[in-house]
Amino acid sequence: MVVLFGSEVDPDPELTWARGITLVGDDGTEVDQPGPFGVVGWSVAGLDALAFAARHPGLVDRLALVATPIPDDEAALGFELSDITAKTLLLFGAKDPLTGSRHGTWWQRRLPDARLEIYPQGGHDLLVPAWKRTLSHLAPHCKR
C-alpha cells in the first residue's frame, strides 16, 4: 500500500495497477492497514507526508518527497526531522521555480536516510513524470 498526499488522483493508474499497488489518497484520516507501507507527498503536502511518517515510524518504512518546499519554520513542524526513520527519496526538478535543487539539498542534509535525485528538465509538476521512480522506491517488491 502507498499513501499519497497532495493529489486527489492517481498520477498513473495503469502503472500503479500493473505494479500491484493499492493507492490510498490521504483525506486527513488515519490509515487502518498494517504496515509497513510507503508514503509520498507532492509539493507542500510533502510536509503532511513527513508528519505522517513521524507519527507512524513503525508503519512507514519508505517515504518520497516530490518538489517539497523548505518549511518556513522548521520548529513549527511539531517533530524533529532527524526522527524520520523511513528510507527517503527526494525528487526535485532543476527547472522548478518554486523549489529546485536548493530545496532538495536542504532536505537531504536534514533527513537521516535520504537520497536526492534531480530531474534536469523537471519543473514543479514532477509527480506524474516521476511516478514510476516513486513507486519503485516506495514498493520495490510489488509487481502484478
Side-chain angles (χ1 to χ4, degrees):
M1 181 175 78
V2 169
V3 181
L4 172 62
F5 289 81
S7 178
E8 295 180 8
V9 298
D10 186 332
D12 188 337
E14 289 182 21
L15 179 62
T16 304
W17 181 86
R19 289 192 57 98
I21 295 171
T22 300
L23 188 65
V24 178
D26 176 64
D27 61 3
T29 61
E30 294 297 317
V31 175
D32 61 356
Q33 299 290 320
F37 50 82
V39 174
V40 56
W42 174 65
S43 191
V44 72
L47 302 176
D48 297 328
L50 279 163
F52 186 90
R55 285 193 314 271
H56 304 287
L59 295 177
V60 178
D61 66 340
R62 291 179 179 255
L63 173 66
L65 300 180
V66 182
T68 299
I70 296 169
D72 293 331
D73 179 7
E74 188 176 342
L77 290 175
F79 58 91
E80 296 293 323
L81 292 174
S82 60
D83 291 340
I84 301 291
T85 59
K87 185 175 183 176
T88 305
L89 177 64
L90 306 168
L91 300 172
F92 286 82
K95 295 186 176 185
D96 182 346
L98 302 175
T99 60
S101 60
R102 181 177 69 86
H103 289 248
T105 302
W106 188 92
W107 287 113
Q108 185 180 34
R109 289 185 180 142
R110 285 161 179 81
L111 293 168
D113 190 6
R115 174 185 170 85
L116 174 61
E117 295 182 12
I118 303 291
Y119 283 64
Q121 301 302 315
H124 191 69
D125 205 7
L126 198 59
L127 189 61
V128 172
W131 191 238
K132 183 175 182 179
R133 176 64 183 111
T134 301
L135 291 181
S136 71
H137 170 73
L138 295 175
H141 305 295
C142 287
K143 288 201 177 169
R144 217 172 266 290

